[in-house]
């Protein structure tokens, strides 16, 4: 017994600290989610202090489930996360394969490719929404205006003028609008996180066995077959890892959503929690519990997927 | 059919010439072994034949057809690599099927060939395993299976046994030789191990620094090495090469005598020396003898168990008919 006690005692500070770190916030959230707790209410001032006497049972959960944004926020969370995952993995694999061949300037190209990853999320959002996607002042506005001008100029030329007069006038898209703000977020986060995928895939590609490729060449495999049957299976594990890490990060996107449209037409669960937390802490906590459940469901799926590839 | 001819083939990497102009003919059905010390260009030569490296100049002909500019997969050659190069994500069955699948062969034909190859290579029980679950010898058999099903005009082996342990190596050596006897297909086999070369080949090509030192049957190379390099490289333990006074007595710059052509006595003989280390193998004893001028230590091979102690004074007598003579350039003199 005694030779087991000492190691346990020595471990206990770390374990206890971690438990406090995790359990206290979680149990406080649970507690708040079952009581009426608001920051400001002139008619019922007793609700502004957390107390067991303000017990509301599952009322907060009911309130959240019935609120018009809840289902939308869950759908939107999944849409954003899945789109980003799909785009970063596809782009990451393609870019990694492309720059894995040696060419002059390889080092500089690699550094440039990684650099978006070092931009802060809020800066990234400001940069994209104001300088790139803005329909008037951004690159998008300038590009669309340029195309329209060119087309207008070509309408008067002989021969091909008739063809261009059939073209419509293009309108720039406002990415702060209700219908498009989610796409703006997907775009900017994809831009920022593709380098992460490239980095992981590139290191993995460098460990690919060259003799296998030579064997495949002799076996008559085309470049596509080599990619499909050798490179892609080889990248299975890193893809699983990239998907898992990114899913964890992107479920909690906040800064980009706030900056692009302040949640207009584009909410996810963390953003909804933020909105509730302006006043209704009880509802925010209930949403937080839903978010924990969603994160766990996603995590179980992902861990299964990663586990499967690791077992092979 | 699989007659492979190399005409003035050279290979340079940048400004370093690895293979100076080289001519070689390997007849259909031959088992040719490229042997030489590491870095002698034997693997590069094999890769040039396979098409994995382009020849810098010269021509590669297979069955009188110039394939120098033809892609590796169209040359009709199959290669077995040192690291096996199996596809780790595919089962053994899929590994063996891969070249046929790439060639768009029908499912029935694929299945037929897989079954035949698995039977001849004792892989039937492992067809649904992944390469990672197989031993080294089994993996190499899968690699050979993958080569066989293509029905190639020639097999290329790039040091296929180097990653196996000694016992397995002997077994696989026999299996590959047996396979050649059965199939009668041209095989080119690269190794640095002269024992493999001697036991397997019809034709040995000894290479050094990209240059062919000698081409011939194993026994031809053993009995009539063309120069000092071949004399020292072929045969185990190595031939004793003696320079100086003892060689001049025979009117040569260097004389060579194989350890098995020396007889030892504690009473009388031609050359006198002292016993160093004696290696007892049971069937043979290799005795290293010091103090003989021009070759120190000299190795001799005695059949059976001979008991000489370290420091004993002994006499060696060479078999006069088995002495090889070389001139100052290292070439054989008759």
């Amino acid at each position: 017994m005694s030779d087991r006690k000492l190691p346990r005692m020595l471990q206990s500070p770390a374990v206890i600290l971690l438990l406090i770190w995790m359990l206290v916030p979680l149990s406080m959230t649970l507690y708040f989610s079952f009581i009426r707790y608001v920051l400001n209410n002139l008619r019922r001032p007793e609700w502004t202090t957390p107390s067991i006497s303000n017990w509301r049972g599952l009322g907060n959960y009911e309130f959240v489930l019935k609120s018009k944004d809840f289902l939308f926020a869950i759908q939107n969370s999944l849409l954003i996360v899945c789109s980003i995952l799909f785009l970063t993995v596809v782009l990451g694999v393609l870019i990694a394969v492309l720059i894995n061949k040696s060419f002059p300037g390889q080092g500089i190209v690699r550094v440039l490719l990684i650099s978006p990853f070092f931009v802060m999320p809020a800066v990234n959002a400001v940069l994209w929404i104001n300088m790139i996607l803005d329909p008037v002042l951004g690159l998008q506005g300038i590009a669309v205006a340029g195309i329209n001008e060119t087309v207008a100029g070509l309408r008067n030329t002989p021969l091909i003028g008739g063809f261009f007069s059939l073209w419509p006038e293009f309108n720039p898209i406002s990415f702060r609008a209700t219908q498009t703000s989610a796409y703006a977020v997907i775009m900017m986060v994809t831009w920022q996180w593709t380098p992460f995928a490239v980095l992981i895939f590139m290191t993995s590609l460098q460990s690919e066995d060259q003799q296998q490729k030579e064997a495949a060449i002799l076996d008559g495999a085309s470049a596509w077959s080599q990619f499909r049957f050798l490179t892609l299976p080889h990248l299975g594990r890193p893809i699983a890892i990239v998907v898992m890490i990114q899913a964890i990060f992107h479920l909690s996107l906040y800064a980009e959503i706030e900056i692009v449209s302040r949640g207009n037409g584009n909410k996810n669960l963390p953003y909804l929690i933020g909105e509730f937390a302006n006043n209704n802490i009880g509802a925010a906590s209930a949403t937080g519990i839903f978010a924990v459940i969603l994160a766990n469901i996603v995590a179980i799926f992902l861990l299964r997927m990663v586990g499967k590839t690791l077992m092979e | 059919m699989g007659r492979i001819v190399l005409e003035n083939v050279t290979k340079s990497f940048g400004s370093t010439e690895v293979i100076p102009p080289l001519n070689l003919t390997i007849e259909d059905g031959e088992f040719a072994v490229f042997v030489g010390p590491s870095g002698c260009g034997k693997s590069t030569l094999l890769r040039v034949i396979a098409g994995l490296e382009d020849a810098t100049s010269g021509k590669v002909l297979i069955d009188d057809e110039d394939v120098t500019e033809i892609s590796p997969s169209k040359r009709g050659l199959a290669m077995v690599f040192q690291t096996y190069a199996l596809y780790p994500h595919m089962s053994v069955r899929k590994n063996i099927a891969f070249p046929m699948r790439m060639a768009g062969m029908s499912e029935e034909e694929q299945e037929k060939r897989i079954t035949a190859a698995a039977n001849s290579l004792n892989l039937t029980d492992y067809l649904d395993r992944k390469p990672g679950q197989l031993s080294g010898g089994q993996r190499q058999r899968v690699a050979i299976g993958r080569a066989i099903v293509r029905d190639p005009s020639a097999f290329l082996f790039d040091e296929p046994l180097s990653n196996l342990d000694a016992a397995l190596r002997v077994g696989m050596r026999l299996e590959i030789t047996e396979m050649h006897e059965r199939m009668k297909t041209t095989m080119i086999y690269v190794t640095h191990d002269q024992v493999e070369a001697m036991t397997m080949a019809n034709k040995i090509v000894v290479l050094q620094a990209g240059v062919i030192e000698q081409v011939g049957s194993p026994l031809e190379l053993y009995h009539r090495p063309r120069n000092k390099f071949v004399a020292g490289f072929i045969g185990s333990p190595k031939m004793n090469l003696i320079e100086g006074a003892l060689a001049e007595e025979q009117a040569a710059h260097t004389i060579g005598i194989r350890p098995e052509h020396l007889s030892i006595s504690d009473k009388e003989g031609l050359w006198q020396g002292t016993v160093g280390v004696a290696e007892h193998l049971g069937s043979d004893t290799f005795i290293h003898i010091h103090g003989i001028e021009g070759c120190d230590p000299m190795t001799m091979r005695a059949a059976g168990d001979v008991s000489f102690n370290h420091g004993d004074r002994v006499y060696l007598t060479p078999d006069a008919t088995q002495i090889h003579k070389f001139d100052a350039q290292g070439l054989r003199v008759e």
Side-chain angles (χ1 to χ4, degrees), chain A:
Chain A
M1 275 305 280
S2 62
D3 48 73
R4 274 199 171 184
K5 249 181 193 166
L6 184 66
R8 285 201 180 159
M9 269 170 61
L10 291 173
Q11 285 170 353
S12 57
V15 173
I16 290 168
L17 192 72
L18 273 175
L19 273 179
I20 293 171
W21 210 282
M22 314 257 299
L23 279 181
V24 169
L26 185 65
S27 35
M28 277 176 76
T29 311
L30 262 176
Y31 171 51
F32 290 161
S33 75
F34 287 108
I35 58 167
R36 286 186 193 276
Y37 178 26
V38 293
L39 294 179
N40 195 2
N41 193 320
L42 293 176
R43 273 188 298 154
R44 304 294 297 267
E46 71 271 22
W47 287 355
T48 54
T49 41
S51 155
I52 197 79
S53 58
N54 294 332
W55 185 259
R56 202 187 176 188
L58 291 170
N60 281 324
Y61 292 91
E62 207 184 327
F63 172 77
V64 169
L65 277 173
K66 279 186 177 161
S67 78
K68 63 176 172 43
D69 282 337
F70 177 71
L71 207 62
F72 170 70
I74 288 189
Q75 283 173 349
N76 207 43
S77 294
L78 292 176
L79 168 79
I80 292 178
V81 170
C82 295
S83 312
I84 295 171
L85 287 180
F86 176 77
L87 289 171
T88 47
V89 167
V90 170
L91 286 173
V93 169
L94 293 181
I95 295 174
V97 168
L98 191 70
I99 62 169
N100 193 39
K101 306 227 155 62
S102 58
F103 56 90
Q106 194 175 29
I108 294 170
V109 168
R110 284 183 182 175
V111 171
L112 286 177
L113 268 169
I114 308 300
S115 55
F117 197 52
F118 300 123
V119 177
M120 278 176 278
V123 175
N124 174 28
V126 170
L127 215 111
W128 268 81
I129 203 66
N130 292 324
M131 296 179 74
I132 299 176
L133 295 178
D134 192 279
V136 181
L137 301 168
L139 269 183
Q140 191 218 169
I142 296 168
V144 170
I147 291 171
N148 282 337
E149 246 170 65
T150 318
V151 170
L154 285 169
R155 282 199 179 122
N156 300 325
T157 52
L159 286 171
I160 50 169
F163 171 68
F164 280 104
S165 61
L166 296 174
W167 283 35
E169 177 116 340
F170 294 104
N171 288 317
I173 304 162
S174 168
F175 278 96
R176 291 183 198 268
T178 314
Q179 299 84 352
T180 50
S181 51
Y183 301 113
V185 170
I186 291 170
M187 257 187 269
M188 57 186 65
V189 179
T190 301
W191 176 77
Q192 181 158 43
W193 280 80
T194 299
F196 172 73
V198 171
L199 193 70
I200 304 261
F201 298 155
M202 208 165 65
T203 45
S204 173
L205 282 178
Q206 279 165 359
S207 70
E208 204 182 359
D209 185 353
Q210 287 311 304
Q211 282 204 336
Q212 277 173 26
K213 289 216 148 167
E214 290 179 344
I217 291 172
L218 281 167
D219 282 346
S222 60
W224 165 251
S225 297
Q226 286 175 46
F227 175 75
R228 168 68 188 79
F229 295 112
L230 294 184
T231 307
L232 220 47
H234 180 75
L235 287 178
R237 202 171 297 181
I239 286 175
I241 290 166
V242 164
V243 165
M244 195 172 76
I245 293 177
Q246 287 206 70
I248 293 165
F249 272 85
H250 300 332
L251 272 173
S252 59
L253 280 180
Y254 191 91
E256 289 88 344
I257 290 172
E258 168 73 14
I259 288 167
V260 168
S261 66
R262 297 195 181 277
N264 173 20
N266 180 28
K267 284 184 181 60
N268 62 359
L269 277 180
Y271 200 83
L272 199 63
I273 295 171
E275 281 190 342
F276 281 135
N278 283 333
N279 194 23
N280 192 343
I281 302 295
S285 301
T287 319
I289 298 301
F290 280 122
V292 169
I293 294 168
L294 179 73
N296 273 296
I297 292 172
V298 173
I300 288 168
F301 271 110
L302 293 174
L303 282 177
R304 284 254 175 91
M305 196 178 107
V306 174
K308 219 176 141 195
T309 47
L310 288 179
M311 291 303 260
E312 278 172 4

Side-chain angles (χ1 to χ4, degrees), chain B residues 37-100:
Chain B
S38 53
C40 70
K42 54 192 189 298
S43 282
T44 310
L45 193 59
L46 192 75
R47 292 167 61 84
V48 168
I49 296 173
L52 294 172
E53 302 276 359
D54 292 324
T56 308
S57 67
K59 274 198 258 179
V60 180
L61 307 169
I62 299 176
D63 292 331
D64 299 324
E65 190 197 345
D66 186 352
V67 297
T68 321
E69 301 297 324
I70 290 181
S71 73
S73 59
K74 302 228 164 65
R75 296 190 184 190
L77 305 172
M79 188 154 168
V80 175
F81 293 85
Q82 182 179 353
T83 56
Y84 323 124
L86 298 179
Y87 311 129
H89 311 278
M90 301 181 199
S91 64
V92 168
R93 182 190 301 278
K94 287 199 170 149
N95 260 286
I96 297 178
F98 190 73
M100 300 188 279

